[in-house]
Short mmCIF file of all heavy atoms in Angstrom, two decimals:
data_model
loop_
_atom_site.label_atom_id
_atom_site.label_comp_id
_atom_site.label_asym_id
_atom_site.label_seq_id
_atom_site.Cartn_x
_atom_site.Cartn_y
_atom_site.Cartn_z
N SER D 9 -19.14 26.95 -8.97
CA SER D 9 -20.10 26.07 -8.31
C SER D 9 -21.02 25.44 -9.33
O SER D 9 -21.19 25.96 -10.45
CB SER D 9 -20.91 26.85 -7.27
OG SER D 9 -21.67 27.86 -7.89
N PHE D 10 -21.59 24.33 -8.94
CA PHE D 10 -22.51 23.60 -9.81
C PHE D 10 -23.41 22.78 -8.90
O PHE D 10 -23.03 22.40 -7.79
CB PHE D 10 -21.72 22.64 -10.71
CG PHE D 10 -22.05 22.76 -12.17
CD1 PHE D 10 -21.06 23.00 -13.11
CD2 PHE D 10 -23.35 22.62 -12.61
CE1 PHE D 10 -21.36 23.11 -14.45
CE2 PHE D 10 -23.67 22.72 -13.96
CZ PHE D 10 -22.65 22.97 -14.88
N SER D 11 -24.61 22.51 -9.37
CA SER D 11 -25.50 21.65 -8.60
C SER D 11 -26.07 20.58 -9.52
O SER D 11 -26.22 20.78 -10.73
CB SER D 11 -26.61 22.44 -7.94
OG SER D 11 -27.42 23.07 -8.90
N VAL D 12 -26.37 19.45 -8.92
CA VAL D 12 -26.91 18.31 -9.67
C VAL D 12 -27.91 17.59 -8.78
O VAL D 12 -27.75 17.58 -7.54
CB VAL D 12 -25.77 17.37 -10.13
CG1 VAL D 12 -25.04 16.77 -8.95
CG2 VAL D 12 -26.30 16.28 -11.06
N SER D 13 -28.89 17.02 -9.37
CA SER D 13 -29.86 16.23 -8.63
C SER D 13 -29.33 14.82 -8.42
O SER D 13 -28.58 14.30 -9.27
CB SER D 13 -31.20 16.15 -9.37
OG SER D 13 -31.74 17.43 -9.57
N ILE D 18 -23.65 15.27 -14.64
CA ILE D 18 -23.13 16.62 -14.70
C ILE D 18 -21.75 16.59 -15.36
O ILE D 18 -21.01 15.61 -15.22
CB ILE D 18 -23.05 17.24 -13.30
CG1 ILE D 18 -22.71 18.72 -13.38
CG2 ILE D 18 -22.05 16.51 -12.42
CD1 ILE D 18 -22.88 19.45 -12.07
N LYS D 106 -17.21 23.79 -6.60
CA LYS D 106 -17.94 23.24 -5.46
C LYS D 106 -19.22 22.62 -5.98
O LYS D 106 -20.08 23.32 -6.52
CB LYS D 106 -18.24 24.33 -4.45
CG LYS D 106 -18.92 23.84 -3.18
CD LYS D 106 -19.13 24.97 -2.20
CE LYS D 106 -19.73 24.48 -0.89
NZ LYS D 106 -18.83 23.54 -0.20
N LEU D 107 -19.34 21.31 -5.85
CA LEU D 107 -20.50 20.60 -6.35
C LEU D 107 -21.50 20.34 -5.24
O LEU D 107 -21.14 19.81 -4.18
CB LEU D 107 -20.09 19.27 -6.99
CG LEU D 107 -21.25 18.43 -7.57
CD1 LEU D 107 -21.89 19.16 -8.75
CD2 LEU D 107 -20.76 17.05 -7.98
N THR D 108 -22.73 20.71 -5.49
CA THR D 108 -23.83 20.44 -4.57
C THR D 108 -24.75 19.39 -5.17
O THR D 108 -25.11 19.50 -6.36
CB THR D 108 -24.61 21.73 -4.28
OG1 THR D 108 -23.73 22.70 -3.72
CG2 THR D 108 -25.75 21.45 -3.30
N VAL D 109 -25.11 18.42 -4.38
CA VAL D 109 -26.05 17.39 -4.84
C VAL D 109 -27.35 17.58 -4.07
O VAL D 109 -27.41 17.40 -2.86
CB VAL D 109 -25.50 15.98 -4.60
CG1 VAL D 109 -26.50 14.93 -5.07
CG2 VAL D 109 -24.16 15.80 -5.31
N LEU D 110 -28.37 18.05 -4.78
CA LEU D 110 -29.65 18.28 -4.11
C LEU D 110 -30.82 18.10 -5.05
O LEU D 110 -30.67 18.08 -6.24
CB LEU D 110 -29.67 19.68 -3.49
CG LEU D 110 -29.26 20.88 -4.35
CD1 LEU D 110 -30.30 21.22 -5.39
CD2 LEU D 110 -29.00 22.08 -3.44
#
Side-chain angles (χ1 to χ4, degrees):
Chain D
S9 63
F10 231 125
S11 62
V12 63
S13 300
I18 189 169
K106 184 177 183 62
L107 180 65
T108 301
V109 180
L110 49 73

